[in-house]
Amino acid sequence: MSSSEPNNSGALDPSSLAPRILQVVQGDGTFDEPAVQAYMHSSGVESTGIDYTVVAIMGPQSSGKSTLLNALVRCRVVFGTSFTEMDALSGRSQTTRGVWLAPAPRISEPLTLVMDLEGSDGRERGEDDTSFERQSALFALAVADVVVVNMWAKDVGRESGAGKPLLKTIFQVNLKLFQPAAGQRRTVLLFVFRDRTRTPLDLLRSTWEVDLVRMWEGIAKPPAYEGLPLTDFFEVQYAALANYEDRAEDFRAETHLLRRRFTQEDPETLLRSYPTKLPGAALGLSMAKVWEVIRANKDLNLPAHRVMVANLRCAELAEATFQAFAEDPAWQEVAGEADLVPGFGWRVSDQLTEALAGYDEEARYFDPDVSAAKRAGLTSDLLDLVRPAFVAQLDALRGMALAGFSAQLADPQAPEGEAWVDR
Amino acid sequence: MSSSEPNNSGALDPSSLAPRILQVVQGDGTFDEPAVQAYMHSSGVESTGIDYTVVAIMGPQSSGKSTLLNALVRCRVVFGTSFTEMDALSGRSQTTRGVWLAPAPRISEPLTLVMDLEGSDGRERGEDDTSFERQSALFALAVADVVVVNMWAKDVGRESGAGKPLLKTIFQVNLKLFQPAAGQRRTVLLFVFRDRTRTPLDLLRSTWEVDLVRMWEGIAKPPAYEGLPLTDFFEVQYAALANYEDRAEDFRAETHLLRRRFTQEDPETLLRSYPTKLPGAALGLSMAKVWEVIRANKDLNLPAHRVMVANLRCAELAEATFQAFAEDPAWQEVAGEADLVPGFGWRVSDQLTEALAGYDEEARYFDPDVSAAKRAGLTSDLLDLVRPAFVAQLDALRGMALAGFSAQLADPQAPEGEAWVDR
């Protein structure tokens, strides 16, 4: 913290007392409502009426999100913010999780808060832990006025590399959970293509437009939204930036122009005003509610892909194992037998053991919890199948015992009966 | 085809009569065995003994795979191949699907075939059609001596953007299907990091090594392979290339050095000899068999992600709907009633309709086939649940009818009996 550091005028700027960077959501999904409310107060958003902007930046891990962020946010002079603090903000993409808020000091008017999301598709969370990226991306979509989607120009031709599954999911769940009014408040979706190549922006843009429409048409919508276009809810904008290492000057100039678009005066301004905008005083509470709704939603909180694969494949395996057992001639030979079958017990037991071993051999490649659960179901189904035959065998045994007993009763002199009669 | 085009010496090179580029596998998965056998003959692989190399190149769509490929393959002079043909090879990443074979004319010794795989994660196939990328990648892993994995340096920190789920899958299924002998024939895995940034190769490399080990440890292995390291089956190598637009000279020099590594003389050669290598004469047949095994495998041919999600969520919904119905006081009120309940039929029918409507409202967001199948199961479960109560009501009705009939018999003068008695 640099709360006592003077600003460049020499006087103590009251805003320097407030934390500049707030972790709104922890990596584990905890939302600190009191801290957010306090931040809305100290940052001045609370008293700004509707004259504020929330800009969210999302995009995959290592997509140069922090470079863009710093180009928009970093400015030592204005707030006297120490570089350490800011470097923590930019460097954390490798280490820290969650959703962050920071003021954008280079944009003086309107008051602009930049919301930085943990990079999606990161190696730290890996393949299994993808709920948070869906939840935080939808949070940004529901809360921000402008959502910046940062992506590599070269990823435009890709599917998951371009983040399309994530976009589709948040488009769909947004309609379902928050029922935005069509044509009312259109969130600006700004796609920033990084490290533009010789492929002209127009070409990238037209490829991407086609994909956007396809994504939108592919999502399942609530009945009231059927047939409505993407543009009833979003205004799509584009920007392209040069590589910041190899073409540093281009990058600086282009980010400068981009930053200008976040001010009202710019002819290409990204700021929109609409009558239903939430007053700044309600923003903290609204964020808390939105996050609560998102966390409770099941469509965003899916099990790992491998768990779903395991569910599917182990169910198939169990079904196939059951069918193979039921149709096995060795089983069918003893299944319908009303008379006593010699060694019935161990024969069927061997057959069952063999069937389950066959299941295990394949199922071992899948998630152990899932494969064990499906195995339990299979075992119970197999026991249900063989039970009638066991009962029939017991009946046959009982019948034989009874016949023997009757014979003894009829002829008490028979030697087999002696022991019983003596008792 | 340029079969009649003379080579640069003016004489007709016999090899120019043969097709230079062969589509081994069509986009729909068809493997043309006779064509492959003919190609092995015409390309000379058949008669080369074990003195040949198969180099496969895999990587995501738009990862600059074709640029790399051309740097290794393209050379008008050697084969007199027309540029049109070659441009079709390089440009098709946007349009054509499948697996391709081409000779690498710039590598004179040993005879080198380059196998080019359709780019993975492409927007054309989209999110639902991902079986082919798993199948073709495993094909490359099983068949090639060197597998070049082409990826953006910047994707190293990512998960699916770095192609990790695909690598994990083919590592796992390779062990299961082809049971390679540990430590015998180690396939060279060459990771080529494209558009290297200022991040040094060593840093990328150590990050990636950690991920590789994690991937390998995370896969489920057949018992015989438990505990064996990745390096018993693969030799991991690296290369980094500069951006070919912005640093064309660096790129040319670096690809030149990379190309040299495919020759025996180079100190950093990627070519390995091992006694169990398949003779060239058997390569065509082997490829056909490998592809057949791969196509029959279920672990590579998974349903679309959204179908798996639908299976999971609709099953949950059906279960929740059933539970809610069973525990609903309105149902429980009539469920255990032995006496006649007025309007029982329509009351229960309304309750059932309402329960199914609740299911439909949520299930409409999921794959229609899956949600319909789960709905059928739910309907049948609900009917099983209410059947005993219906039977009890019928019994109550029958009891009442019988009681009325007995009363009539006992007192034939009763007015209610008249109609019946008159008949």
Side-chain angles (χ1 to χ4, degrees):
Chain A
M1 282 297 134
S2 57
S3 54
S4 60
E5 201 178 305
N7 68 359
N8 63 333
S9 73
L12 196 71
D13 181 337
S15 71
S16 73
L17 291 165
R20 276 158 214 92
I21 301 170
L22 176 77
Q23 183 159 18
V24 182
V25 182
Q26 310 290 320
D28 65 359
T30 313
F31 187 97
D32 189 349
E33 195 180 335
V36 172
Q37 295 283 21
Y39 184 82
M40 292 303 163
H41 178 77
S42 65
S43 64
V45 172
E46 202 182 68
S47 53
T48 191
I50 60 168
D51 197 20
Y52 70 94
T53 311
V54 177
V55 179
I57 305 193
M58 60 180 277
Q61 183 85 295
S62 334
S63 63
K65 218 154 53 70
S66 8
T67 326
L68 179 62
L69 194 68
N70 280 340
L72 295 177
V73 175
R74 177 186 283 177
C75 186
R76 185 180 170 79
V77 184
V78 180
F79 277 141
T81 302
S82 84
F83 259 84
T84 331
E85 229 180 333
M86 282 302 181
D87 281 347
L89 180 66
S90 61
R92 83 190 150 57
S93 59
Q94 296 301 318
T95 51
T96 314
R97 298 166 167 193
V99 178
W100 300 70
L101 265 186
R106 285 192 172 183
I107 302 162
S108 54
E109 187 68 28
L111 200 157
T112 301
L113 290 181
V114 176
M115 182 189 285
D116 184 27
L117 310 188
E118 173 184 324
S120 55
D121 193 30
R123 62 188 281 269
E124 286 85 6
R125 288 205 190 247
E127 197 188 5
D128 291 354
D129 184 11
T130 55
S131 294
F132 189 81
E133 72 179 38
R134 286 187 287 271
Q135 292 169 339
S136 55
L138 179 54
F139 182 64
L141 203 67
V143 160
D145 303 292
V146 182
V147 176
V148 180
V149 183
N150 191 52
M151 59 190 288
W152 297 118
K154 280 163 176 164
D155 280 347
V156 165
R158 295 173 70 179
E159 183 67 24
S160 71
K164 286 181 204 164
L166 177 60
L167 280 175
K168 271 192 274 190
T169 302
I170 63 172
F171 283 161
Q172 173 163 327
V173 182
N174 182 51
L175 289 185
K176 191 174 159 190
L177 285 191
F178 300 115
Q179 288 120 27
Q184 291 274 310
R185 177 210 162 189
R186 301 201 307 158
T187 303
V188 175
L189 276 183
L190 171 69
F191 292 97
V192 177
F193 297 126
R194 300 295 299 277
D195 286 13
R196 57 185 168 74
T197 57
R198 283 180 201 160
T199 312
L201 176 59
D202 276 354
L203 211 71
L204 286 179
R205 189 183 162 138
S206 62
T207 305
W208 189 247
E209 294 272 1
V210 169
D211 287 359
L212 267 182
V213 169
R214 208 178 284 154
M215 282 185 246
W216 182 259
E217 283 171 354
I219 65 173
K221 303 179 190 71
Y225 294 106
E226 218 61 83
L228 297 182
L230 173 77
T231 47
D232 272 9
F233 306 93
F234 299 100
E235 181 189 335
V236 181
Q237 293 284 347
Y238 296 91
L241 301 177
N243 178 279
Y244 74 99
E245 281 182 7
D246 292 343
R247 308 204 216 159
E249 259 184 89
D250 285 348
F251 180 78
R252 259 196 304 276
E254 286 160 358
T255 48
H256 176 78
L257 295 183
L258 182 58
R259 195 164 50 237
R260 265 205 343 219
R261 295 179 68 186
F262 288 96
T263 60
Q264 238 115 29
E265 307 81 53
D266 196 74
E268 291 193 78
T269 180
L270 295 163
L271 306 182
R272 307 286 175 259
S273 59
Y274 43 91
T276 59
K277 177 154 182 172
L278 204 68
L283 185 62
L285 184 66
S286 167
M287 281 184 172
K289 289 285 166 226
V290 164
W291 184 250
E292 196 184 316
V293 168
I294 284 174
R295 288 290 282 187
N297 178 267
K298 277 189 165 183
D299 298 327
L300 301 167
N301 190 17
L302 294 170
H305 182 75
R306 60 175 180 76
V307 171
M308 288 196 279
V309 172
N311 256 302
L312 181 91
R313 295 279 291 114
C314 291
E316 284 174 6
L317 276 173
E319 175 64 23
T321 306
F322 182 85
Q323 285 305 329
F325 182 92
E327 288 159 14
D328 185 353
W331 156 248
Q332 289 189 330
E333 193 191 314
V334 298
E337 195 57 72
D339 293 337
L340 197 66
V341 177
F344 175 86
W346 56 256
R347 277 173 70 173
V348 173
S349 167
D350 278 0
Q351 288 169 14
L352 286 172
T353 307
E354 201 183 317
L356 287 171
Y359 169 86
D360 290 341
E361 201 182 315
E362 278 292 303
R364 68 190 305 284
Y365 293 99
F366 300 101
D367 181 83
D369 291 344
V370 176
S371 67
K374 299 286 179 198
R375 189 187 202 274
L378 170 64
T379 309
S380 140
D381 288 349
L382 286 172
L383 291 180
D384 285 349
L385 179 72
V386 301
R387 189 167 296 118
F390 264 95
V391 171
Q393 288 292 309
L394 284 177
D395 282 348
L397 269 176
R398 201 181 302 125
M400 285 174 67
L402 204 64
F405 180 59
S406 305
Q408 286 161 20
L409 277 183
D411 177 12
Q413 304 311 318
E416 306 97 272
E418 275 166 31
W420 189 82
V421 169
D422 286 351
R423 247 196 294 172
Chain B
M1 283 299 133
S2 57
S3 54
S4 61
E5 200 179 305
N7 68 0
N8 65 332
S9 73
L12 196 71
D13 181 337
S15 72
S16 73
L17 291 166
R20 276 158 214 92
I21 301 171
L22 175 78
Q23 183 160 18
V24 183
V25 182
Q26 309 290 321
D28 65 359
T30 313
F31 186 97
D32 189 349
E33 194 180 335
V36 172
Q37 294 284 19
Y39 184 82
M40 292 304 164
H41 179 76
S42 66
S43 64
V45 172
E46 202 183 70
S47 53
T48 192
I50 59 167
D51 196 20
Y52 70 94
T53 311
V54 178
V55 180
I57 305 193
M58 60 180 277
Q61 183 85 294
S62 334
S63 63
K65 219 154 53 70
S66 8
T67 326
L68 179 62
L69 194 68
N70 280 339
L72 295 176
V73 174
R74 177 185 283 176
C75 186
R76 186 180 168 78
V77 185
V78 180
F79 276 141
T81 302
S82 85
F83 258 84
T84 333
E85 229 179 334
M86 282 304 183
D87 281 347
L89 180 67
S90 61
R92 83 190 150 57
S93 58
Q94 295 302 317
T95 52
T96 314
R97 298 166 167 193
V99 178
W100 300 70
L101 265 186
R106 285 191 171 183
I107 302 162
S108 54
E109 188 67 30
L111 200 157
T112 301
L113 290 181
V114 176
M115 183 189 285
D116 184 27
L117 309 188
E118 173 184 324
S120 56
D121 193 29
R123 61 188 282 270
E124 286 85 5
R125 289 205 190 246
E127 196 188 6
D128 291 354
D129 184 11
T130 55
S131 294
F132 189 81
E133 73 179 38
R134 285 187 287 270
Q135 292 168 339
S136 55
L138 178 55
F139 182 65
L141 203 67
V143 160
D145 303 293
V146 182
V147 176
V148 180
V149 183
N150 192 52
M151 59 190 290
W152 297 118
K154 281 163 176 163
D155 281 347
V156 165
R158 295 173 69 180
E159 182 67 24
S160 72
K164 286 181 204 163
L166 178 61
L167 280 176
K168 271 192 276 189
T169 302
I170 63 173
F171 283 160
Q172 173 163 327
V173 183
N174 182 51
L175 289 184
K176 189 174 161 190
L177 285 190
F178 300 115
Q179 287 120 28
Q184 291 275 309
R185 176 209 163 191
R186 300 201 307 159
T187 303
V188 175
L189 276 183
L190 172 69
F191 292 97
V192 177
F193 297 126
R194 300 294 300 277
D195 286 14
R196 56 184 170 74
T197 57
R198 283 181 200 159
T199 312
L201 177 59
D202 276 355
L203 210 71
L204 286 179
R205 190 182 162 139
S206 62
T207 305
W208 189 247
E209 294 272 1
V210 169
D211 287 359
L212 267 181
V213 169
R214 208 177 285 155
M215 281 186 248
W216 182 260
E217 284 172 353
I219 65 173
K221 302 179 190 70
Y225 294 107
E226 219 61 82
L228 296 182
L230 173 78
T231 46
D232 271 9
F233 306 92
F234 299 100
E235 182 189 335
V236 181
Q237 293 283 347
Y238 296 91
L241 300 178
N243 178 279
Y244 74 99
E245 281 182 7
D246 292 344
R247 308 205 216 159
E249 260 183 272
D250 285 348
F251 180 78
R252 259 196 304 276
E254 287 161 358
T255 49
H256 176 79
L257 296 183
L258 181 58
R259 195 165 49 237
R260 264 203 345 217
R261 296 179 68 186
F262 289 96
T263 61
Q264 238 115 29
E265 306 81 53
D266 195 75
E268 291 193 78
T269 181
L270 296 163
L271 306 182
R272 306 285 175 262
S273 58
Y274 43 92
T276 59
K277 177 154 182 172
L278 205 68
L283 185 61
L285 184 66
S286 166
M287 280 184 174
K289 290 285 167 228
V290 165
W291 184 250
E292 197 183 314
V293 168
I294 284 175
R295 288 290 281 186
N297 178 267
K298 278 190 165 183
D299 298 327
L300 301 167
N301 190 17
L302 294 171
H305 182 74
R306 60 174 179 77
V307 171
M308 288 196 280
V309 173
N311 256 303
L312 181 91
R313 295 280 289 113
C314 291
E316 284 175 5
L317 277 174
E319 175 65 22
T321 307
F322 182 85
Q323 286 305 329
F325 182 92
E327 288 159 13
D328 185 354
W331 156 249
Q332 289 189 329
E333 191 191 315
V334 298
E337 195 56 72
D339 293 337
L340 196 67
V341 176
F344 174 86
W346 56 256
R347 275 173 70 172
V348 173
S349 167
D350 278 0
Q351 288 168 14
L352 286 173
T353 307
E354 201 184 317
L356 287 171
Y359 170 85
D360 290 341
E361 201 183 315
E362 278 292 303
R364 68 189 306 283
Y365 293 98
F366 300 101
D367 182 83
D369 291 344
V370 175
S371 67
K374 299 286 180 201
R375 189 187 202 274
L378 169 64
T379 309
S380 139
D381 288 349
L382 286 173
L383 290 179
D384 285 350
L385 178 72
V386 301
R387 189 168 295 119
F390 263 96
V391 172
Q393 288 292 309
L394 284 176
D395 282 349
L397 269 176
R398 202 181 300 125
M400 284 174 68
L402 204 64
F405 181 58
S406 306
Q408 286 161 21
L409 277 183
D411 176 12
Q413 304 312 320
E416 306 96 272
E418 275 167 30
W420 190 83
V421 169
D422 286 350
R423 247 196 294 172

